[in-house]
Amino acid sequence: MIEQLTSLNNELSKSIRNTGDVSAPSYMDLLELNKNKVRTTKFLSINTPSRLCTFLKTDFKDLEKLINHPLYITFKIMKKKGGTRDISAPDGQLKIIQKILNNYLQTYYFGIKPSVVHGFVIHPKSLGKYCNIVANAQDHTNKRYVLNIDLKDFFPSISAFQVKALFTSSLFNFPNQIATALTLLTTYEGRLPIGAPTSPVLSNFICKQLDADLISIAQINGLSYTRYADDLTFSSKMKIENECLSDIRTIIKQNNFHVNEKKFRIQTSNRKQSVTGITVNEKVNIDRKLIKKIRAMLHDWSINGLYKAAIRHFSYSNAEIDISRLQIRFINRLEGYINFVGQVRGKSDPLFLRFKTTFKEIGKDECMKI
C-alpha cells in the first residue's frame, strides 16, 4: 500500500509540469491534486467486506446478490462497416455500483497513466490535460510513415482471471476476497463486458505493461507511439523495418492481445495518412469525406426538409422506424459531426463557425416540430 501511494504522490505532483506549463501549480491545481490522492487512498484502503459495502453504499446481502447473480441487459448494435457488436450493459444497482467504481478507478489511473494513452481517460479539466483523439493524433503529424494497428475483440479478450490478477497485483494489493468481489462486480461471463462503465478504465490498467513494452520498442527504433483504446499508432521519419514490426507483433501477443489483420496498415506521406479518423499528413485535420458529408446533410435538410433528409441519410423506408426518433437521430449525428470539426480545427475555425451557424438557422424551426 505504501509503495503504490508513494508512487501515486510522485506522479500526481508531476501532473502540472507534464502539461508543458512551466509555471508553478495554482492553489486550485494543488487542491485538485490533493483531492485525487485522498480519493485514491480511500479506494486502495478497502481491505474487508464491510469496508467494501460501506464504500459502495450497499449492505452485504445486496452486494452478495449482485456478485452471485449479476443483472445484465444484452443486445446487438450495428457496426459502421457492417456486422454487429454484442453489448452487455449492467442494470439497476449493479450499474450504480460500477459507476462508483469507475469514478475511483479513473482517478487512480489518471495519476499513473503514461502520456501516450489518450483513450478512456477522465481527468480534471483544471489541470489542463486533454486526452482525446486529437491529442492522440498530434504526435503523428508530418511523418513519412504511419503504422496503424487495431487490437482484435479488445474488451472480450480481457479475462476475469486477468482482472483479478490486476486487483491482487502491486498496483492495488487488495486481499484475495476483495479482489474476487471486485472482479465479479466488473466482469460478465468471464470477460470484460462491452457496455459496463468500468470496462474502459480496467482495460487501460490491463494495458499498462503493454504500453510500457511498446514505449520501449518505440524508443529503441526512433518511433512515436500512442494508444487510443484498442487503436495503436506508430510513426516515424524513417522506414519502419520488418524486424521492428515483428517485435511489435510479439509484444502484443505476449500481453495476451491479438492484431486485427484487416486494420493493420502502414501509410506513407505521399498518400492520405489518418489516425483515429483524423488526417495527420501535415497537421491534424478533418477528412474531406466528412466535410462533404456535413455539407450534403445540411443542404438536404435545408432544401428537402428534415423528414426526407433523415430517411435518405439512414436509408430507411417510412415503415421501418418511428420517424420522430429518426429525425432526432439525424440532428444529433449532424451536430456531432459539426462539433467534431470544432474539436479538431478549433472553435474559431471559419468552416466550423459556418457549419454551426447554418445548423442553427435551419434547425431553429424544425426542432420545435418534433
Side-chain angles (χ1 to χ4, degrees):
M1 173 69 71
I2 294 175
E3 182 180 346
Q4 65 260 47
L5 289 179
T6 301
S7 175
L8 175 68
N9 181 69
N10 293 335
E11 291 295 331
L12 287 175
S13 298
K14 296 175 184 176
S15 292
I16 299 298
R17 296 196 296 273
N18 288 341
T19 63
D21 181 6
V22 296
S23 61
S26 69
Y27 177 69
M28 293 304 296
D29 291 332
L30 293 174
L31 283 179
E32 192 70 58
L33 289 169
N34 189 58
K35 179 182 176 182
N36 280 9
K37 288 186 283 187
V38 170
R39 286 170 58 80
T40 301
T41 302
K42 179 181 178 181
F43 178 57
L44 294 176
S45 297
I46 299 172
N47 56 9
T48 65
S50 61
R51 293 187 71 169
L52 179 61
C53 290
T54 301
F55 179 83
L56 296 176
K57 300 177 182 178
T58 186
D59 59 44
F60 184 79
K61 193 173 182 180
D62 287 340
L63 188 61
E64 189 177 37
K65 184 178 179 181
L66 290 172
I67 288 173
N68 294 324
H69 306 285
L71 182 58
Y72 282 83
I73 300 172
T74 59
F75 55 95
K76 295 180 182 293
I77 61 172
M78 296 294 297
K79 293 182 180 180
K80 288 183 179 180
K81 297 185 178 181
T84 60
R85 177 176 284 110
D86 294 324
I87 305 296
S88 297
D91 195 27
Q93 184 66 16
L94 180 59
K95 185 176 183 179
I96 294 172
I97 282 177
Q98 286 188 358
K99 284 184 175 181
I100 294 172
L101 290 172
N102 178 59
N103 201 317
Y104 283 86
L105 285 166
Q106 287 283 5
T107 299
Y108 184 18
Y109 184 72
F110 176 76
I112 64 171
K113 83 170 199 69
S115 60
V116 300
V117 178
H118 297 282
F120 302 148
V121 179
I122 297 175
H123 51 89
K125 292 181 180 179
S126 66
L127 298 184
K129 275 193 171 182
Y130 297 97
C131 303
N132 51 41
I133 58 175
V134 179
N136 181 70
Q138 282 173 335
D139 282 347
H140 307 290
T141 57
N142 198 28
K143 299 291 180 65
R144 188 175 178 185
Y145 297 94
V146 174
L147 167 64
N148 298 120
I149 301 176
D150 179 81
L151 299 181
K152 188 177 181 180
D153 300 325
F154 188 48
F155 285 174
S157 69
I158 298 174
S159 68
F161 176 83
Q162 288 174 279
V163 175
K164 185 181 177 183
L166 169 70
F167 285 135
T168 56
S169 73
S170 59
L171 271 176
F172 290 90
N173 273 331
F174 285 130
N176 185 67
Q177 191 176 19
I178 301 302
T180 301
L182 291 174
T183 300
L184 293 173
L185 286 169
T186 55
T187 59
Y188 182 59
E189 295 182 342
R191 304 287 172 183
L192 270 191
I194 303 175
T198 45
S199 291
V201 67
L202 285 175
S203 72
N204 274 340
F205 274 108
I206 294 292
C207 284
K208 193 171 185 294
Q209 186 59 53
L210 172 69
D211 290 325
D213 293 342
L214 292 178
I215 288 170
S216 178
I217 199 71
Q219 290 174 342
I220 291 171
N221 290 275
L223 309 177
S224 295
Y225 162 67
T226 63
R227 181 174 65 83
Y228 189 91
D230 56 351
D231 288 311
L232 315 180
T233 306
F234 299 83
S235 62
S236 175
K237 297 280 189 179
M238 305 296 290
K239 182 180 178 181
I240 305 175
E241 301 294 340
N242 289 334
E243 184 179 354
C244 178
L245 295 176
S246 178
D247 289 341
I248 290 171
R249 286 179 177 276
T250 299
I251 288 171
I252 291 171
K253 187 175 181 180
Q254 287 174 342
N255 281 274
N256 300 307
F257 291 105
H258 301 281
V259 173
N260 184 344
E261 297 297 343
K262 293 180 180 179
K263 295 184 179 181
F264 185 98
R265 66 185 186 207
I266 297 178
Q267 305 169 95
T268 56
S269 56
N270 60 338
R271 295 189 177 184
K272 186 185 75 173
Q273 296 170 314
S274 62
V275 175
T276 53
I278 297 175
T279 303
V280 295
N281 288 69
E282 296 179 359
K283 63 179 181 179
V284 291
N285 206 348
I286 298 293
D287 192 310
R288 291 180 182 179
K289 290 182 180 179
L290 181 59
I291 299 297
K292 289 181 179 179
K293 180 180 287 189
I294 295 172
R295 284 184 175 136
M297 292 174 74
L298 287 170
H299 178 76
D300 200 2
W301 185 7
S302 175
I303 300 300
N304 301 306
L306 182 58
Y307 175 86
K308 291 183 179 180
I311 289 291
R312 185 178 292 104
H313 179 74
F314 292 109
S315 301
Y316 283 120
S317 69
N318 294 6
E320 283 183 300
I321 194 169
D322 178 78
I323 189 59
S324 295
R325 289 178 58 194
L326 193 65
Q327 290 177 139
I328 292 171
R329 187 179 169 195
F330 176 89
I331 290 171
N332 290 340
R333 175 171 289 189
L334 178 54
E335 186 175 26
Y337 285 156
I338 293 172
N339 287 336
F340 181 60
V341 173
Q343 181 183 9
V344 175
R345 298 179 59 146
K347 300 299 182 182
S348 60
D349 178 73
L351 181 63
F352 164 69
L353 294 175
R354 188 158 61 248
F355 281 157
K356 189 176 180 181
T357 300
T358 305
F359 176 84
K360 286 183 178 180
E361 289 176 350
I362 301 173
K364 62 184 177 183
D365 295 323
E366 289 277 12
C367 293
M368 297 297 293
K369 300 175 185 177
I370 300 176

